Amino acid sequence: MKINTIKILTFGAVALFSAIGCTNDFEEYNQEKLGGPENFYADFYAIVDPMKSIQRGLQADYQRYPNLSADMYSGMFSTATPFNGGVNNLTYSMVDDWNSKLIAKQQDIFNYSIIIDNTAKVTYKGVDFTGTFAVKKILKVITAARVADSHGPVVYSKYETPNANGVTDFDSQEQAYNYFIADLTSAINDLQKVIATSATESVEDKSALKKADLVYGGSMIKWAKLANSLKLRLAMRMSYADPAKSKQYAEEALSSSAGLITENTDNALISVGQSELSFIIYTYGDCMIGAPLMAYMNGYKDPRLSAYAIPATDTQVQGKFIGIRQGIDLLNGKTTYGGFSQPQAKAASGDYFSSTDGKLKLFTAAETWFLKAEAALRGYAGAGDIKTNYQTGVQQSFGEWGKSADVVSYLANTTDTEAPYVDPKNTANNINAGDSQLSTITIAWNDADSNERKLERIITQKWLSLYPNGPEAWAEQRRTGYPILFKVRKNDSGGAISTEAMIRRIPYTISTKTSLYNYQQALQMLDGPDKGGTKLWWDKKL
């Protein structure tokens, strides 16, 4: 049993000082506007390095967040390790140290952003990094949105502008979402401006991004698609809280000339080198596959199953795909449950959990099509046909995981539903046929179904396609109520979190309460106490 302690290194003033010392020729470069090869191909490392750190930072301290919170709450993952004597996040007893890493990660990433801004002003004075800065803005939105979707109010628009007393104010989650949308729209516009330039223009900007980009290798066209796809994601997240703005923003994204991520060749995957999940799963043995994910995939006879999980080695279930239910008595821990199925992520494009060439999944084509399916269900203009969008979402997901040959028969399946869960180690954990914790939704599209049942079908397949993106899967499950997940059997929250309603957010931690963040303001912005049972702003359906 081991908690991962890897953390991105602070770039700081040393790198900034070094960068300033080796770029004395930039005044002459700026005067000439177009310099020689030494300027055309300048490495811009004082911007490139922290840009890479921002991207890699999205998986830093991965075990504490999101693996031991959002990943588990999503139903995709679980553990056989009884951390803290079996009383921890998984049993709704919030572990302050684990949960503090979410805001700490945001602070690291936002501080790198400040370093980049200052470096550009001092070291590369006069060089226009419009496209590179647009990408940085997109990464900041991704980072802050995860904080907001976990905690609620978030320090975003005022991060760099504390009050006179040194205290920094929060944005409410509603305010933050509007800022996110505005910043994504601005980033799209900036990227399109650079895209429209000739080959001899914006050379420095394009060169810097190509060196810094761990997702698309410098393709601003693809970054614009990602920004617009994220805009659609956030717009749909607002569907119950602010239907009018949800419709407005979604329709803007659907009609944007930037386009959307509709093919797997445009999937947004950060090349992180060693995936932190590679040692969390295979070295520490602290992460196992979730029982709900396996119940759905077993019930559906899902061909993606072998790409998502490794067959169990335990003698009682050897060769089967079986997950561990969250929030149970783990008995003797790994001795009891360590032989259940481990997660894997063997996509057609490579192993996301590789120890040498891992990928962190941000957004894929399948998600776009499921977003469009829901938008069409809600009557948003430009969303297209619901059934076509739904089926294309499944097709794109199967393509992502190298299972395209099986998609036609899968989509034609009108009978299979989620399978019952049988725990051979403790029958008290079983979820038998007919239990309300088992979904009855089938796979094949049915125009005769109610809109609510259509929504369940869309979101259940969307959830399956989001794997292994636990934070996004957990957010969508809370927003819509789908997929139907198993409740915890062991609730150690002391009444702060309802077993039936399940956890709705992660409380702020001591590090935030005692920081120069305006915690009392955040409390006022919450629609309830600072507990795990309080719903977020967009969590308005149930």
mmCIF file of all heavy atoms in Angstrom, residues 68-69 72-74 86-95 98-99 326-328 437 474 477-478 485-507 531-533:
data_model
loop_
_atom_site.group_PDB
_atom_site.id
_atom_site.type_symbol
_atom_site.label_atom_id
_atom_site.label_comp_id
_atom_site.label_asym_id
_atom_site.label_seq_id
_atom_site.Cartn_x
_atom_site.Cartn_y
_atom_site.Cartn_z
ATOM 1 N N LEU A 68 -8.337 8.530 -6.168
ATOM 2 C CA LEU A 68 -8.994 8.164 -4.914
ATOM 3 C C LEU A 68 -10.207 9.049 -4.608
ATOM 4 O O LEU A 68 -10.607 9.190 -3.456
ATOM 5 C CB LEU A 68 -7.987 8.193 -3.770
ATOM 6 C CG LEU A 68 -6.982 7.028 -3.800
ATOM 7 C CD1 LEU A 68 -5.865 7.239 -2.784
ATOM 8 C CD2 LEU A 68 -7.669 5.694 -3.557
ATOM 9 N N SER A 69 -10.767 9.623 -5.636
ATOM 10 C CA SER A 69 -12.006 10.390 -5.478
ATOM 11 C C SER A 69 -12.837 10.248 -6.741
ATOM 12 O O SER A 69 -13.626 9.307 -6.864
ATOM 13 C CB SER A 69 -11.710 11.860 -5.160
ATOM 14 O OG SER A 69 -10.830 12.435 -6.109
ATOM 15 N N MET A 72 -13.103 6.850 -8.521
ATOM 16 C CA MET A 72 -13.873 5.860 -7.776
ATOM 17 C C MET A 72 -15.366 6.201 -7.797
ATOM 18 O O MET A 72 -16.215 5.330 -7.994
ATOM 19 C CB MET A 72 -13.365 5.782 -6.337
ATOM 20 C CG MET A 72 -11.871 5.519 -6.201
ATOM 21 S SD MET A 72 -11.380 3.882 -6.795
ATOM 22 C CE MET A 72 -9.591 3.966 -6.632
ATOM 23 N N TYR A 73 -15.680 7.474 -7.595
ATOM 24 C CA TYR A 73 -17.083 7.885 -7.558
ATOM 25 C C TYR A 73 -17.763 7.716 -8.917
ATOM 26 O O TYR A 73 -18.985 7.591 -8.994
ATOM 27 C CB TYR A 73 -17.197 9.338 -7.106
ATOM 28 C CG TYR A 73 -16.593 9.622 -5.752
ATOM 29 C CD1 TYR A 73 -15.977 10.838 -5.475
ATOM 30 C CD2 TYR A 73 -16.630 8.670 -4.731
ATOM 31 C CE1 TYR A 73 -15.420 11.105 -4.232
ATOM 32 C CE2 TYR A 73 -16.063 8.921 -3.490
ATOM 33 C CZ TYR A 73 -15.453 10.142 -3.247
ATOM 34 O OH TYR A 73 -14.888 10.397 -2.020
ATOM 35 N N SER A 74 -16.970 7.700 -9.983
ATOM 36 C CA SER A 74 -17.532 7.534 -11.327
ATOM 37 C C SER A 74 -18.058 6.129 -11.567
ATOM 38 O O SER A 74 -18.817 5.902 -12.508
ATOM 39 C CB SER A 74 -16.463 7.843 -12.381
ATOM 40 O OG SER A 74 -15.506 6.784 -12.463
ATOM 41 N N GLY A 86 -9.582 1.327 6.186
ATOM 42 C CA GLY A 86 -10.844 1.124 5.480
ATOM 43 C C GLY A 86 -11.838 2.258 5.655
ATOM 44 O O GLY A 86 -12.976 2.160 5.187
ATOM 45 N N VAL A 87 -11.419 3.338 6.308
ATOM 46 C CA VAL A 87 -12.280 4.514 6.496
ATOM 47 C C VAL A 87 -11.652 5.660 5.714
ATOM 48 O O VAL A 87 -10.646 6.234 6.131
ATOM 49 C CB VAL A 87 -12.412 4.877 7.990
ATOM 50 C CG1 VAL A 87 -13.284 6.111 8.170
ATOM 51 C CG2 VAL A 87 -12.978 3.698 8.770
ATOM 52 N N ASN A 88 -12.226 5.989 4.572
ATOM 53 C CA ASN A 88 -11.590 6.954 3.678
ATOM 54 C C ASN A 88 -12.608 7.493 2.666
ATOM 55 O O ASN A 88 -13.816 7.308 2.842
ATOM 56 C CB ASN A 88 -10.401 6.287 2.967
ATOM 57 C CG ASN A 88 -10.791 4.986 2.280
ATOM 58 O OD1 ASN A 88 -11.672 4.970 1.409
ATOM 59 N ND2 ASN A 88 -10.157 3.883 2.661
ATOM 60 N N ASN A 89 -12.121 8.140 1.624
ATOM 61 C CA ASN A 89 -13.006 8.726 0.614
ATOM 62 C C ASN A 89 -14.036 7.741 0.073
ATOM 63 O O ASN A 89 -15.169 8.116 -0.239
ATOM 64 C CB ASN A 89 -12.189 9.249 -0.573
ATOM 65 C CG ASN A 89 -11.551 10.597 -0.307
ATOM 66 O OD1 ASN A 89 -11.665 11.153 0.782
ATOM 67 N ND2 ASN A 89 -10.871 11.137 -1.298
ATOM 68 N N LEU A 90 -13.639 6.482 -0.066
ATOM 69 C CA LEU A 90 -14.532 5.501 -0.668
ATOM 70 C C LEU A 90 -15.700 5.139 0.231
ATOM 71 O O LEU A 90 -16.723 4.650 -0.241
ATOM 72 C CB LEU A 90 -13.764 4.235 -1.073
ATOM 73 C CG LEU A 90 -13.071 4.327 -2.439
ATOM 74 C CD1 LEU A 90 -11.837 5.218 -2.352
ATOM 75 C CD2 LEU A 90 -12.701 2.960 -2.960
ATOM 76 N N THR A 91 -15.546 5.373 1.528
ATOM 77 C CA THR A 91 -16.655 5.140 2.461
ATOM 78 C C THR A 91 -17.225 6.475 2.939
ATOM 79 O O THR A 91 -17.894 6.539 3.960
ATOM 80 C CB THR A 91 -16.200 4.298 3.670
ATOM 81 O OG1 THR A 91 -15.227 5.039 4.428
ATOM 82 C CG2 THR A 91 -15.605 2.971 3.226
ATOM 83 N N TYR A 92 -16.949 7.525 2.187
ATOM 84 C CA TYR A 92 -17.474 8.873 2.416
ATOM 85 C C TYR A 92 -16.899 9.540 3.660
ATOM 86 O O TYR A 92 -17.481 10.482 4.186
ATOM 87 C CB TYR A 92 -18.999 8.868 2.477
ATOM 88 C CG TYR A 92 -19.684 8.538 1.164
ATOM 89 C CD1 TYR A 92 -21.057 8.268 1.119
ATOM 90 C CD2 TYR A 92 -18.978 8.500 -0.039
ATOM 91 C CE1 TYR A 92 -21.698 7.978 -0.079
ATOM 92 C CE2 TYR A 92 -19.611 8.203 -1.237
ATOM 93 C CZ TYR A 92 -20.973 7.937 -1.254
ATOM 94 O OH TYR A 92 -21.605 7.644 -2.445
ATOM 95 N N SER A 93 -15.753 9.068 4.141
ATOM 96 C CA SER A 93 -15.012 9.777 5.177
ATOM 97 C C SER A 93 -13.900 10.536 4.459
ATOM 98 O O SER A 93 -12.898 9.945 4.043
ATOM 99 C CB SER A 93 -14.422 8.807 6.197
ATOM 100 O OG SER A 93 -13.637 9.486 7.146
ATOM 101 N N MET A 94 -14.085 11.839 4.282
ATOM 102 C CA MET A 94 -13.209 12.628 3.425
ATOM 103 C C MET A 94 -11.799 12.756 4.008
ATOM 104 O O MET A 94 -11.633 13.211 5.148
ATOM 105 C CB MET A 94 -13.799 14.009 3.190
ATOM 106 C CG MET A 94 -15.139 14.003 2.464
ATOM 107 S SD MET A 94 -15.015 13.538 0.705
ATOM 108 C CE MET A 94 -15.452 11.792 0.784
ATOM 109 N N VAL A 95 -10.814 12.345 3.232
ATOM 110 C CA VAL A 95 -9.411 12.413 3.649
ATOM 111 C C VAL A 95 -8.844 13.749 3.194
ATOM 112 O O VAL A 95 -8.651 13.976 1.998
ATOM 113 C CB VAL A 95 -8.600 11.241 3.072
ATOM 114 C CG1 VAL A 95 -7.147 11.325 3.541
ATOM 115 C CG2 VAL A 95 -9.217 9.906 3.473
ATOM 116 N N TRP A 98 -5.668 13.905 0.812
ATOM 117 C CA TRP A 98 -5.932 13.477 -0.561
ATOM 118 C C TRP A 98 -6.645 14.580 -1.338
ATOM 119 O O TRP A 98 -6.274 14.923 -2.455
ATOM 120 C CB TRP A 98 -6.817 12.228 -0.590
ATOM 121 C CG TRP A 98 -6.242 11.009 0.048
ATOM 122 C CD1 TRP A 98 -5.015 10.868 0.616
ATOM 123 C CD2 TRP A 98 -6.895 9.742 0.171
ATOM 124 N NE1 TRP A 98 -4.855 9.589 1.096
ATOM 125 C CE2 TRP A 98 -6.003 8.880 0.839
ATOM 126 C CE3 TRP A 98 -8.154 9.262 -0.199
ATOM 127 C CZ2 TRP A 98 -6.333 7.552 1.124
ATOM 128 C CZ3 TRP A 98 -8.478 7.943 0.082
ATOM 129 C CH2 TRP A 98 -7.575 7.097 0.739
ATOM 130 N N ASN A 99 -7.678 15.129 -0.729
ATOM 131 C CA ASN A 99 -8.537 16.066 -1.444
ATOM 132 C C ASN A 99 -7.892 17.437 -1.633
ATOM 133 O O ASN A 99 -8.340 18.218 -2.471
ATOM 134 C CB ASN A 99 -9.871 16.210 -0.704
ATOM 135 C CG ASN A 99 -10.638 14.901 -0.666
ATOM 136 O OD1 ASN A 99 -10.521 14.068 -1.562
ATOM 137 N ND2 ASN A 99 -11.424 14.692 0.374
ATOM 138 N N GLN A 326 -17.541 -0.251 -4.576
ATOM 139 C CA GLN A 326 -17.038 0.845 -3.754
ATOM 140 C C GLN A 326 -17.766 0.890 -2.421
ATOM 141 O O GLN A 326 -18.945 0.567 -2.316
ATOM 142 C CB GLN A 326 -17.260 2.174 -4.481
ATOM 143 C CG GLN A 326 -16.778 3.388 -3.730
ATOM 144 C CD GLN A 326 -17.366 4.674 -4.294
ATOM 145 O OE1 GLN A 326 -17.572 4.800 -5.482
ATOM 146 N NE2 GLN A 326 -17.650 5.624 -3.410
ATOM 147 N N GLY A 327 -17.035 1.287 -1.379
ATOM 148 C CA GLY A 327 -17.652 1.522 -0.084
ATOM 149 C C GLY A 327 -18.102 0.257 0.620
ATOM 150 O O GLY A 327 -19.177 0.220 1.221
ATOM 151 N N ILE A 328 -17.268 -0.776 0.565
ATOM 152 C CA ILE A 328 -17.577 -2.027 1.255
ATOM 153 C C ILE A 328 -16.501 -2.318 2.285
ATOM 154 O O ILE A 328 -15.436 -1.683 2.306
ATOM 155 C CB ILE A 328 -17.679 -3.216 0.273
ATOM 156 C CG1 ILE A 328 -16.323 -3.456 -0.423
ATOM 157 C CG2 ILE A 328 -18.785 -2.986 -0.752
ATOM 158 C CD1 ILE A 328 -16.253 -4.735 -1.242
ATOM 159 N N GLN A 437 -30.753 -0.812 -8.093
ATOM 160 C CA GLN A 437 -29.404 -0.357 -8.411
ATOM 161 C C GLN A 437 -28.889 -0.925 -9.725
ATOM 162 O O GLN A 437 -27.764 -0.617 -10.130
ATOM 163 C CB GLN A 437 -28.440 -0.727 -7.279
ATOM 164 C CG GLN A 437 -28.759 -0.042 -5.965
ATOM 165 C CD GLN A 437 -27.859 -0.503 -4.845
ATOM 166 O OE1 GLN A 437 -26.757 -0.005 -4.663
ATOM 167 N NE2 GLN A 437 -28.329 -1.474 -4.079
ATOM 168 N N TRP A 474 -17.815 11.124 -13.623
ATOM 169 C CA TRP A 474 -18.497 11.409 -12.355
ATOM 170 C C TRP A 474 -19.375 12.650 -12.481
ATOM 171 O O TRP A 474 -20.508 12.686 -11.992
ATOM 172 C CB TRP A 474 -17.470 11.604 -11.236
ATOM 173 C CG TRP A 474 -18.075 11.871 -9.888
ATOM 174 C CD1 TRP A 474 -19.192 11.287 -9.354
ATOM 175 C CD2 TRP A 474 -17.595 12.799 -8.900
ATOM 176 N NE1 TRP A 474 -19.430 11.791 -8.083
ATOM 177 C CE2 TRP A 474 -18.472 12.712 -7.792
ATOM 178 C CE3 TRP A 474 -16.511 13.669 -8.845
ATOM 179 C CZ2 TRP A 474 -18.288 13.489 -6.643
ATOM 180 C CZ3 TRP A 474 -16.318 14.436 -7.696
ATOM 181 C CH2 TRP A 474 -17.213 14.338 -6.609
ATOM 182 N N GLN A 477 -22.526 11.767 -14.361
ATOM 183 C CA GLN A 477 -23.426 10.921 -13.580
ATOM 184 C C GLN A 477 -24.190 11.764 -12.556
ATOM 185 O O GLN A 477 -25.397 11.561 -12.353
ATOM 186 C CB GLN A 477 -22.620 9.828 -12.867
ATOM 187 C CG GLN A 477 -23.442 8.633 -12.405
ATOM 188 C CD GLN A 477 -24.214 8.914 -11.117
ATOM 189 O OE1 GLN A 477 -23.783 9.705 -10.283
ATOM 190 N NE2 GLN A 477 -25.341 8.232 -10.941
ATOM 191 N N ARG A 478 -23.525 12.723 -11.952
ATOM 192 C CA ARG A 478 -24.223 13.581 -10.991
ATOM 193 C C ARG A 478 -25.224 14.491 -11.696
ATOM 194 O O ARG A 478 -26.328 14.715 -11.191
ATOM 195 C CB ARG A 478 -23.207 14.439 -10.222
ATOM 196 C CG ARG A 478 -22.420 13.674 -9.161
ATOM 197 C CD ARG A 478 -21.352 14.560 -8.543
ATOM 198 N NE ARG A 478 -20.280 14.823 -9.477
ATOM 199 C CZ ARG A 478 -19.424 15.847 -9.394
ATOM 200 N NH1 ARG A 478 -19.558 16.745 -8.420
ATOM 201 N NH2 ARG A 478 -18.463 16.000 -10.283
ATOM 202 N N LEU A 485 -25.717 3.740 -10.659
ATOM 203 C CA LEU A 485 -24.544 3.141 -10.013
ATOM 204 C C LEU A 485 -24.925 2.464 -8.709
ATOM 205 O O LEU A 485 -26.001 2.700 -8.156
ATOM 206 C CB LEU A 485 -23.489 4.222 -9.740
ATOM 207 C CG LEU A 485 -22.886 4.940 -10.953
ATOM 208 C CD1 LEU A 485 -21.877 5.988 -10.494
ATOM 209 C CD2 LEU A 485 -22.225 3.959 -11.916
ATOM 210 N N PHE A 486 -24.018 1.651 -8.184
ATOM 211 C CA PHE A 486 -24.222 0.968 -6.904
ATOM 212 C C PHE A 486 -23.963 1.941 -5.752
ATOM 213 O O PHE A 486 -23.022 2.731 -5.791
ATOM 214 C CB PHE A 486 -23.279 -0.220 -6.761
ATOM 215 C CG PHE A 486 -23.358 -1.220 -7.888
ATOM 216 C CD1 PHE A 486 -22.300 -2.097 -8.126
ATOM 217 C CD2 PHE A 486 -24.475 -1.316 -8.706
ATOM 218 C CE1 PHE A 486 -22.350 -3.024 -9.149
ATOM 219 C CE2 PHE A 486 -24.544 -2.244 -9.737
ATOM 220 C CZ PHE A 486 -23.469 -3.101 -9.964
ATOM 221 N N LYS A 487 -24.763 1.852 -4.718
ATOM 222 C CA LYS A 487 -24.580 2.679 -3.527
ATOM 223 C C LYS A 487 -23.486 2.074 -2.641
ATOM 224 O O LYS A 487 -23.229 0.864 -2.678
ATOM 225 C CB LYS A 487 -25.878 2.765 -2.712
ATOM 226 C CG LYS A 487 -27.143 2.964 -3.520
ATOM 227 C CD LYS A 487 -27.205 4.289 -4.224
ATOM 228 C CE LYS A 487 -28.561 4.466 -4.910
ATOM 229 N NZ LYS A 487 -28.658 5.706 -5.704
ATOM 230 N N VAL A 488 -22.881 2.917 -1.812
ATOM 231 C CA VAL A 488 -21.919 2.391 -0.848
ATOM 232 C C VAL A 488 -22.667 1.586 0.209
ATOM 233 O O VAL A 488 -23.814 1.876 0.541
ATOM 234 C CB VAL A 488 -21.109 3.516 -0.173
ATOM 235 C CG1 VAL A 488 -20.291 4.291 -1.180
ATOM 236 C CG2 VAL A 488 -22.004 4.453 0.621
ATOM 237 N N ARG A 489 -22.036 0.560 0.729
ATOM 238 C CA ARG A 489 -22.626 -0.224 1.824
ATOM 239 C C ARG A 489 -22.135 0.286 3.178
ATOM 240 O O ARG A 489 -22.773 0.066 4.194
ATOM 241 C CB ARG A 489 -22.269 -1.707 1.679
ATOM 242 C CG ARG A 489 -22.908 -2.370 0.466
ATOM 243 C CD ARG A 489 -22.971 -3.884 0.621
ATOM 244 N NE ARG A 489 -23.795 -4.281 1.760
ATOM 245 C CZ ARG A 489 -23.341 -4.832 2.871
ATOM 246 N NH1 ARG A 489 -22.042 -5.057 3.027
ATOM 247 N NH2 ARG A 489 -24.159 -5.156 3.851
ATOM 248 N N LYS A 490 -21.015 0.938 3.164
ATOM 249 C CA LYS A 490 -20.379 1.420 4.393
ATOM 250 C C LYS A 490 -20.236 2.936 4.277
ATOM 251 O O LYS A 490 -19.425 3.435 3.505
ATOM 252 C CB LYS A 490 -19.017 0.730 4.552
ATOM 253 C CG LYS A 490 -18.285 0.980 5.856
ATOM 254 C CD LYS A 490 -17.079 0.036 5.924
ATOM 255 C CE LYS A 490 -16.242 0.264 7.170
ATOM 256 N NZ LYS A 490 -15.402 1.469 7.066
ATOM 257 N N ASN A 491 -21.055 3.663 5.032
ATOM 258 C CA ASN A 491 -21.057 5.123 4.950
ATOM 259 C C ASN A 491 -20.486 5.694 6.248
ATOM 260 O O ASN A 491 -21.119 5.649 7.297
ATOM 261 C CB ASN A 491 -22.489 5.634 4.721
ATOM 262 C CG ASN A 491 -22.553 7.125 4.466
ATOM 263 O OD1 ASN A 491 -21.720 7.890 4.934
ATOM 264 N ND2 ASN A 491 -23.572 7.546 3.730
ATOM 265 N N ASP A 492 -19.269 6.238 6.160
ATOM 266 C CA ASP A 492 -18.590 6.774 7.335
ATOM 267 C C ASP A 492 -18.621 8.299 7.365
ATOM 268 O O ASP A 492 -17.756 8.940 7.979
ATOM 269 C CB ASP A 492 -17.131 6.290 7.360
ATOM 270 C CG ASP A 492 -17.011 4.794 7.579
ATOM 271 O OD1 ASP A 492 -17.739 4.271 8.436
ATOM 272 O OD2 ASP A 492 -16.194 4.150 6.884
ATOM 273 N N SER A 493 -19.620 8.905 6.728
ATOM 274 C CA SER A 493 -19.666 10.365 6.638
ATOM 275 C C SER A 493 -20.281 11.022 7.858
ATOM 276 O O SER A 493 -20.264 12.256 7.966
ATOM 277 C CB SER A 493 -20.454 10.785 5.391
ATOM 278 O OG SER A 493 -21.839 10.540 5.562
ATOM 279 N N GLY A 494 -20.872 10.235 8.752
ATOM 280 C CA GLY A 494 -21.526 10.813 9.921
ATOM 281 C C GLY A 494 -22.748 11.633 9.563
ATOM 282 O O GLY A 494 -23.068 12.605 10.260
ATOM 283 N N GLY A 495 -23.407 11.267 8.478
ATOM 284 C CA GLY A 495 -24.611 11.965 8.056
ATOM 285 C C GLY A 495 -24.383 13.109 7.089
ATOM 286 O O GLY A 495 -25.343 13.728 6.615
ATOM 287 N N ALA A 496 -23.129 13.389 6.753
ATOM 288 C CA ALA A 496 -22.829 14.504 5.846
ATOM 289 C C ALA A 496 -23.184 14.171 4.396
ATOM 290 O O ALA A 496 -23.416 15.070 3.587
ATOM 291 C CB ALA A 496 -21.352 14.868 5.936
ATOM 292 N N ILE A 497 -23.207 12.873 4.075
ATOM 293 C CA ILE A 497 -23.486 12.435 2.706
ATOM 294 C C ILE A 497 -24.542 11.340 2.769
ATOM 295 O O ILE A 497 -24.406 10.373 3.518
ATOM 296 C CB ILE A 497 -22.216 11.897 2.018
ATOM 297 C CG1 ILE A 497 -21.114 12.971 2.008
ATOM 298 C CG2 ILE A 497 -22.516 11.432 0.598
ATOM 299 C CD1 ILE A 497 -19.752 12.450 1.576
ATOM 300 N N SER A 498 -25.570 11.481 1.972
ATOM 301 C CA SER A 498 -26.637 10.490 1.921
ATOM 302 C C SER A 498 -26.198 9.268 1.119
ATOM 303 O O SER A 498 -25.686 9.408 0.005
ATOM 304 C CB SER A 498 -27.883 11.098 1.282
ATOM 305 O OG SER A 498 -28.790 10.108 0.846
ATOM 306 N N THR A 499 -26.412 8.089 1.675
ATOM 307 C CA THR A 499 -26.102 6.866 0.942
ATOM 308 C C THR A 499 -26.933 6.796 -0.339
ATOM 309 O O THR A 499 -26.431 6.422 -1.407
ATOM 310 C CB THR A 499 -26.387 5.623 1.805
ATOM 311 O OG1 THR A 499 -25.546 5.669 2.960
ATOM 312 C CG2 THR A 499 -26.122 4.339 1.041
ATOM 313 N N GLU A 500 -28.188 7.180 -0.244
ATOM 314 C CA GLU A 500 -29.091 7.085 -1.397
ATOM 315 C C GLU A 500 -28.740 8.104 -2.477
ATOM 316 O O GLU A 500 -28.666 7.773 -3.663
ATOM 317 C CB GLU A 500 -30.538 7.305 -0.940
ATOM 318 C CG GLU A 500 -31.574 7.130 -2.036
ATOM 319 C CD GLU A 500 -31.615 5.729 -2.615
ATOM 320 O OE1 GLU A 500 -31.223 4.769 -1.911
ATOM 321 O OE2 GLU A 500 -32.024 5.591 -3.785
ATOM 322 N N ALA A 501 -28.507 9.354 -2.075
ATOM 323 C CA ALA A 501 -28.199 10.407 -3.051
ATOM 324 C C ALA A 501 -26.749 10.345 -3.524
ATOM 325 O O ALA A 501 -26.402 10.908 -4.561
ATOM 326 C CB ALA A 501 -28.488 11.780 -2.454
ATOM 327 N N MET A 502 -25.893 9.696 -2.762
ATOM 328 C CA MET A 502 -24.464 9.543 -3.060
ATOM 329 C C MET A 502 -23.718 10.873 -2.933
ATOM 330 O O MET A 502 -24.324 11.927 -2.797
ATOM 331 C CB MET A 502 -24.247 8.909 -4.429
ATOM 332 C CG MET A 502 -24.852 7.520 -4.562
ATOM 333 S SD MET A 502 -24.376 6.629 -6.074
ATOM 334 C CE MET A 502 -25.232 7.582 -7.311
ATOM 335 N N ILE A 503 -22.412 10.810 -3.008
ATOM 336 C CA ILE A 503 -21.586 12.003 -2.847
ATOM 337 C C ILE A 503 -21.808 12.947 -4.018
ATOM 338 O O ILE A 503 -21.858 12.533 -5.172
ATOM 339 C CB ILE A 503 -20.098 11.633 -2.695
ATOM 340 C CG1 ILE A 503 -19.272 12.880 -2.394
ATOM 341 C CG2 ILE A 503 -19.580 10.855 -3.907
ATOM 342 C CD1 ILE A 503 -17.860 12.575 -1.931
ATOM 343 N N ARG A 504 -21.942 14.251 -3.715
ATOM 344 C CA ARG A 504 -22.225 15.247 -4.747
ATOM 345 C C ARG A 504 -21.043 16.184 -5.015
ATOM 346 O O ARG A 504 -21.003 16.834 -6.061
ATOM 347 C CB ARG A 504 -23.430 16.104 -4.344
ATOM 348 C CG ARG A 504 -24.652 15.357 -3.863
ATOM 349 C CD ARG A 504 -25.104 14.236 -4.777
ATOM 350 N NE ARG A 504 -25.547 14.678 -6.075
ATOM 351 C CZ ARG A 504 -26.030 13.859 -7.012
ATOM 352 N NH1 ARG A 504 -26.109 12.559 -6.776
ATOM 353 N NH2 ARG A 504 -26.411 14.328 -8.177
ATOM 354 N N ARG A 505 -20.123 16.307 -4.099
ATOM 355 C CA ARG A 505 -18.973 17.198 -4.270
ATOM 356 C C ARG A 505 -17.899 16.817 -3.270
ATOM 357 O O ARG A 505 -18.140 16.026 -2.351
ATOM 358 C CB ARG A 505 -19.349 18.678 -4.067
ATOM 359 C CG ARG A 505 -19.832 18.999 -2.667
ATOM 360 C CD ARG A 505 -20.201 20.472 -2.497
ATOM 361 N NE ARG A 505 -19.041 21.352 -2.501
ATOM 362 C CZ ARG A 505 -18.316 21.657 -1.425
ATOM 363 N NH1 ARG A 505 -18.626 21.131 -0.228
ATOM 364 N NH2 ARG A 505 -17.289 22.470 -1.505
ATOM 365 N N ILE A 506 -16.714 17.404 -3.448
ATOM 366 C CA ILE A 506 -15.607 17.223 -2.509
ATOM 367 C C ILE A 506 -15.494 18.487 -1.667
ATOM 368 O O ILE A 506 -15.376 19.595 -2.214
ATOM 369 C CB ILE A 506 -14.293 16.960 -3.255
ATOM 370 C CG1 ILE A 506 -14.388 15.642 -4.035
ATOM 371 C CG2 ILE A 506 -13.115 16.909 -2.286
ATOM 372 C CD1 ILE A 506 -13.205 15.367 -4.938
ATOM 373 N N PRO A 507 -15.536 18.371 -0.340
ATOM 374 C CA PRO A 507 -15.434 19.561 0.512
ATOM 375 C C PRO A 507 -14.069 20.233 0.365
ATOM 376 O O PRO A 507 -13.078 19.607 -0.015
ATOM 377 C CB PRO A 507 -15.608 18.997 1.930
ATOM 378 C CG PRO A 507 -16.243 17.654 1.749
ATOM 379 C CD PRO A 507 -15.747 17.137 0.442
ATOM 380 N N LYS A 531 -19.999 20.383 2.732
ATOM 381 C CA LYS A 531 -19.967 18.932 2.946
ATOM 382 C C LYS A 531 -20.141 18.203 1.614
ATOM 383 O O LYS A 531 -20.564 18.793 0.629
ATOM 384 C CB LYS A 531 -21.070 18.515 3.923
ATOM 385 C CG LYS A 531 -20.904 19.104 5.321
ATOM 386 C CD LYS A 531 -22.017 18.657 6.254
ATOM 387 C CE LYS A 531 -21.819 19.238 7.646
ATOM 388 N NZ LYS A 531 -22.917 18.825 8.569
ATOM 389 N N GLY A 532 -19.841 16.920 1.636
ATOM 390 C CA GLY A 532 -19.909 16.138 0.414
ATOM 391 C C GLY A 532 -21.314 15.897 -0.113
ATOM 392 O O GLY A 532 -21.485 15.501 -1.257
ATOM 393 N N GLY A 533 -22.321 16.164 0.713
ATOM 394 C CA GLY A 533 -23.691 15.952 0.279
ATOM 395 C C GLY A 533 -24.335 17.165 -0.353
ATOM 396 O O GLY A 533 -25.460 17.070 -0.866
#
